C-alpha cells in the first residue's frame, strides 16, 4: 500500500486528537500501512468549526501537509445522485458525510472512516480496511 493516497474522514482525525496514546489511534494505524492522506474541504470545515482557540495550533500542525480536496460542481452532482439513491432506500445520511463521500468518489480515492455504519450505505464508495485499534479494548 506504500504511497497510496486515501481520503480520511473527520472521525479519523478526531480519534487521533482525543487519544492520549496517539500510537493507538486509527490514523497512526493507517500511517503504519504506508498510506498518505487527503481530506475533503468539508472535513477541514468540520475540524475548524469544532476546534476551540486552544486547539487551533494542534489542527494547523496536523493539517498543514494534507491535501485538501475541493467541493465543486461535479462533487455536488455526485452528492445529489447518492442522496437520491439513499432517499429511495430510506437510508439517508448526514449532509456533511454525503459531501465527504462524494469527494472520495469524484477523486477516485479509497476512504477511511470510523463511521462505517453510515458510509457502508454508499455502494460506490471504496472503503479502506485496516487493523482498527478501536476493536481491541485498551486504555488510553
Amino acid at each position: 500500500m506504500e504511497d497510496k493516497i486515501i481520503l480520511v474522514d473527520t472521525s479519523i482525525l478526531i480519534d487521533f486528537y482525543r487519544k492520549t496514546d496517539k500510537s493507538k489511534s486509527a490514523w497512526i494505524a493507517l500511517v503504519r500501512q504506508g498510506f498518505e492522506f487527503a481530506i475533503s474541504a468539508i472535513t477541514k470545515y468540520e475540524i475548524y468549526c469544532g476546534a476551540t482557540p486552544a486547539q487551533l495550533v494542534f489542527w494547523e500542525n496536523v493539517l498543514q501537509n494534507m491535501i485538501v480536496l475541493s467541493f465543486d460542481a461535479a462533487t455536488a452532482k455526485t452528492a445529489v445522485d447518492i442522496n437520491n439513491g439513499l432517499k429511495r432506500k430510506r437510508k439517508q445520511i448526514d449532509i456533511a458525510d454525503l459531501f465527504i463521500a462524494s469527494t472520495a468518489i469524484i477523486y477516485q480515492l479509497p476512504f477511511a472512516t470510523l463511521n462505517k455504519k453510515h458510509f457502508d450505505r454508499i455502494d460506490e464508495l471504496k472503503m479502506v480496511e485496516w487493523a482498527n485499534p478501536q476493536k481491541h479494548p485498551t486504555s488510553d
Side-chain angles (χ1 to χ4, degrees), residues 5 35 38 40 47 49 51-52 54 56 70 75 92 99 106-108 120 128 139:
I5 297 174
F35 290 113
S40 167
I47 291 294
C49 279
T52 66
L56 291 178
S70 65
T75 313
Q92 286 178 281
F99 290 171
I106 281 294
Y107 287 92
Q108 300 177 345
D120 276 345
V128 173
S139 61

Side-chain angles (χ1 to χ4, degrees), residues 22-68:
K22 305 290 188 213
S23 70
K24 295 180 181 178
S25 70
W27 189 30
I28 296 303
L30 292 164
V31 167
R32 287 182 183 135
Q33 289 186 8
F35 290 113
E36 292 188 28
F37 307 99
I39 60 171
S40 167
I42 307 305
T43 293
K44 188 170 184 176
Y45 166 82
E46 288 183 319
I47 291 294
Y48 281 111
C49 279
T52 66
Q55 297 168 346
L56 291 178
V57 171
F58 173 86
W59 287 117
E60 287 168 7
N61 288 331
V62 168
L63 301 178
Q64 72 181 349
N65 293 320
M66 278 199 201
I67 300 163
V68 179

Side-chain angles (χ1 to χ4, degrees), residues 14-134:
I14 297 297
D15 172 68
F16 178 73
Y17 174 77
R18 290 182 177 164
K19 292 282 189 209
T20 302
D21 182 350
K22 305 290 188 213
S23 70
K24 295 180 181 178
S25 70
W27 189 30
I28 296 303
L30 292 164
V31 167
R32 287 182 183 135
Q33 289 186 8
F35 290 113
E36 292 188 28
F37 307 99
I39 60 171
S40 167
I42 307 305
T43 293
K44 188 170 184 176
Y45 166 82
E46 288 183 319
I47 291 294
Y48 281 111
C49 279
T52 66
Q55 297 168 346
L56 291 178
V57 171
F58 173 86
W59 287 117
E60 287 168 7
N61 288 331
V62 168
L63 301 178
Q64 72 181 349
N65 293 320
M66 278 199 201
I67 300 163
V68 179
L69 302 174
S70 65
F71 185 82
D72 59 12
T75 313
K77 169 76 169 89
T78 298
V80 168
D81 293 344
I82 294 167
N83 187 59
N84 287 341
L86 293 174
K87 188 186 277 188
R88 281 191 295 277
K89 297 176 187 176
R90 297 178 190 244
K91 293 187 175 192
Q92 286 178 281
I93 62 174
D94 180 72
I95 195 164
D97 290 346
L98 184 64
F99 290 171
I100 292 167
S102 66
T103 302
I105 292 167
I106 281 294
Y107 287 92
Q108 300 177 345
L109 292 174
F111 182 66
T113 184
L114 295 176
N115 185 7
K116 289 187 178 186
K117 180 180 177 184
H118 289 155
F119 289 103
D120 276 345
R121 299 174 189 182
I122 303 171
D123 296 334
E124 304 90 343
L125 196 58
K126 182 181 174 191
M127 304 291 280
V128 173
E129 297 297 326
W130 77 92
N132 186 345
Q134 303 252 335

